[in-house]
Amino acid sequence: MITGIGVDVVGLERFAQQLEGTPRLRERLFAESERGLPVHSLAARFAAKEALIKALGRSDGLSWTEIEIVPDEHGDPGFRLHGSAAEAVAGHGVRRLHLSLTHDAGVAVAFVVAEGAPSELGTFGVTDV
């Protein structure tokens, strides 16, 4: 069952300016394995982390550097969660995350679908009566 969806868009030029203007931003937002990537890849990864937060409905217990975007065996992007981020996602009842990334025309976009067990919420997010 889909338990959440999230989407985020990041302007590449503005994101590049923020990285240049704030030297420690890479270390605050990205896992060590991500930091050396080109700006368009970093922007897409930042969008993915934001989209994950939106899919979960809150950011409690999530640390930017504990959310890593990595390719799977087919080269498709996915999440590798560490520490408190893994615990927080599991605590939301999420069993599987789906991620789609793109960057073109000056923007990076990420879309996340979270799957989990049915909750006490009804089909449309309201408690069944």
Side-chain angles (χ1 to χ4, degrees):
M1 171 179 204
I2 294 174
T3 59
I5 59 170
V7 65
D8 196 64
V9 178
V10 174
L12 296 177
E13 186 176 332
R14 181 171 179 238
F15 189 75
Q17 290 170 350
Q18 289 175 330
L19 286 177
E20 286 179 29
T22 310
R24 297 204 42 154
L25 193 56
R26 283 179 195 252
E27 289 78 23
R28 289 195 339 241
L29 296 178
F30 300 104
E32 191 173 335
S33 65
E34 299 172 311
R35 293 177 192 154
L37 295 170
V39 171
H40 65 275
S41 292
L42 291 175
R45 281 164 171 75
F46 178 74
K49 295 173 187 199
E50 284 281 340
L52 174 60
I53 290 168
K54 292 173 182 175
L56 296 175
R58 60 184 185 263
S59 63
D60 301 350
L62 296 177
S63 167
W64 293 105
T65 58
E66 291 182 339
I67 304 168
E68 189 177 4
I69 312 306
V70 296
D72 68 10
E73 65 274 6
H74 305 291
D76 297 326
F79 290 99
R80 182 181 298 149
L81 304 172
H82 308 277
S84 61
E87 292 170 12
V89 170
H92 281 79
V94 175
R95 294 184 179 157
R96 186 166 182 202
L97 292 167
H98 304 273
L99 172 62
S100 181
L101 302 174
T102 190
H103 41 78
D104 190 23
V107 296
V109 179
F111 186 80
V112 172
V113 175
E115 280 188 83
S119 69
E120 67 278 358
L121 295 181
T123 306
F124 298 103
V126 296
T127 305
D128 290 334
V129 181

